[in-house]
């Protein structure tokens, strides 16, 4: 009954490859996110997806592309992987209440990506 | 200057100690203040959530927000080895969207 689940848990791949990470939430939330956590534990938002509206963090390279088949799923596709892409990627979800009520983030357990 | 500043530690305390974790921030528009706990190889889990200024207590945990000083704190009473984790402060002005995280403080509670 995991609320936010990601697959795979670990991903080891070589530079130049293309890979995808999948995320599903069963909380009924309508906003989903991708966060990147670097080796110093710093969490940075990459994308937010709300009711088919994608909001992009402008610092994210266009090799990263989120895809949302429905509001319970948000996948992350990465093209031409680079060494610097090695990090832990977290999916999260929240309920969009227009900012009027609490709407904290609920995180998955992360995908540890290692690019060699 | 980062929007949210948090000392990464590590902070090591004996079991039973009172722990104080703090963050400062620069954006006066922040209204939602959160503390997340992250165990090794797990995702952050929401620990405390407050709106605007004031205190909030939940068991051994107390969160304080001082908007005039742009300073938030998390106190853990009677700390336990199971409290050993990284604690991340987070804040936003619109709830979930655009939540900004601190760097996280790594806490070790020794038995």
């Amino acid at each position: 009954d995991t609320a936010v689940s990601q697959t795979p848990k670990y991903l080891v791949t070589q530079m130049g490859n293309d890979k995808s990470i999948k995320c599903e939430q069963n909380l009924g939330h309508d906003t989903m996110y991708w966060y990147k956590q670097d080796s110093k534990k710093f969490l940075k938002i990459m994308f937010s997806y709300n009711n088919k509206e994608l909001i992009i963090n402008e610092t994210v390279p266009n090799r990263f592309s989120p895809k949302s088949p429905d509001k319970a799923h948000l996948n992350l596709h990465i093209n031409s992987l680079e060494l610097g892409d090695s990090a832990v990627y977290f999916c999260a979800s929240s309920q969009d209440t227009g900012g009027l009520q609490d709407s904290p983030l609920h995180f998955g357990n992360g995908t540890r990506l290692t690019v060699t | 200057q980062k929007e949210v500043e948090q000392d990464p530690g590590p902070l090591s305390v004996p079991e039973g100690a009172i722990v104080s974790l703090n963050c400062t921030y620069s954006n006066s528009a922040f209204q939602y203040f959160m503390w997340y706990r992250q165990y090794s190889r797990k995702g952050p889990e929401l620990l405390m959530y407050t709106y605007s200024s004031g205190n909030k207590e939940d068991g051994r945990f107390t969160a304080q927000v001082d908007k005039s000083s742009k300073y938030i704190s998390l106190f853990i009473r009677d700390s336990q080895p199971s409290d050993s984790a990284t604690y991340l402060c987070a804040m936003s002005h619109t709830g979930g969207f655009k939540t900004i995280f601190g760097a996280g403080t790594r806490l070790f509670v020794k038995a």
Side-chain angles (χ1 to χ4, degrees):
Chain A
D1 60 342
T2 305
V4 181
S5 58
Q6 299 177 226
T7 54
K9 193 172 180 178
Y10 299 97
L11 187 53
V12 181
T13 188
Q14 291 184 327
M15 284 175 56
N17 285 348
D18 303 339
K19 290 293 178 183
S20 292
I21 307 171
K22 295 185 176 181
C23 178
E24 176 182 4
Q25 55 96 4
N26 62 8
L27 295 166
H29 289 165
D30 53 18
T31 305
M32 295 183 73
Y33 311 79
W34 280 108
Y35 276 82
K36 179 180 180 181
Q37 189 173 46
D38 61 26
S39 57
K40 295 185 178 179
K41 295 286 191 180
F42 197 62
L43 267 170
K44 291 180 72 173
I45 189 166
M46 300 176 70
F47 302 101
S48 166
Y49 217 101
N50 175 286
N51 290 325
K52 301 197 179 204
E53 181 186 1
L54 174 64
I55 301 169
I56 299 172
N57 182 331
E58 294 177 359
T59 65
V60 177
N62 58 15
R63 299 182 294 103
F64 291 79
S65 55
K67 285 185 171 50
S68 180
D70 55 62
K71 77 173 196 178
H73 296 84
L74 181 64
N75 304 323
L76 182 65
H77 189 75
I78 315 169
N79 289 326
S80 304
L81 277 155
E82 300 178 358
L83 292 175
D85 297 333
S86 296
V88 182
Y89 292 84
F90 286 100
C91 177
S93 71
S94 71
Q95 182 60 35
D96 181 11
T97 58
L100 299 176
Q101 301 173 32
D102 21 11
S103 178
L105 296 163
H106 295 259
F107 285 88
N109 280 327
T111 296
R112 188 172 296 270
L113 172 65
T114 303
V115 182
T116 61
Chain B
Q1 182 191 7
K2 290 181 182 173
E3 279 193 284
V4 179
E5 298 275 2
Q6 183 177 11
D7 186 340
L11 179 62
S12 183
V13 301
E15 183 176 358
I18 297 174
V19 176
S20 173
L21 304 167
N22 311 294
C23 288
T24 59
Y25 62 95
S26 57
N27 189 340
S28 58
F30 287 143
Q31 297 187 76
Y32 297 88
F33 302 91
M34 293 144 280
W35 287 95
Y36 284 83
R37 178 176 61 196
Q38 185 176 18
Y39 290 114
S40 181
R41 307 223 170 227
K42 295 288 187 182
E45 56 177 331
L46 183 68
L47 199 58
M48 298 287 280
Y49 185 72
T50 53
Y51 174 73
S52 195
S53 285
N55 294 0
K56 187 173 184 178
E57 189 171 320
D58 184 1
R60 296 185 294 110
F61 298 89
T62 300
Q64 287 185 353
V65 175
D66 182 349
K67 290 187 74 178
S68 61
S69 302
K70 298 193 181 69
Y71 188 88
I72 70 170
S73 301
L74 177 70
F75 297 95
I76 307 174
R77 289 183 298 281
D78 188 24
S79 56
Q80 302 295 309
S82 59
D83 295 328
S84 298
T86 297
Y87 290 80
L88 301 128
C89 65
M91 45 200 81
S92 79
H93 43 74
T94 57
F97 181 62
K98 291 281 277 189
T99 298
I100 308 297
F101 285 84
T105 299
R106 192 140 187 218
L107 172 67
F108 295 96
V109 181
K110 300 172 291 185

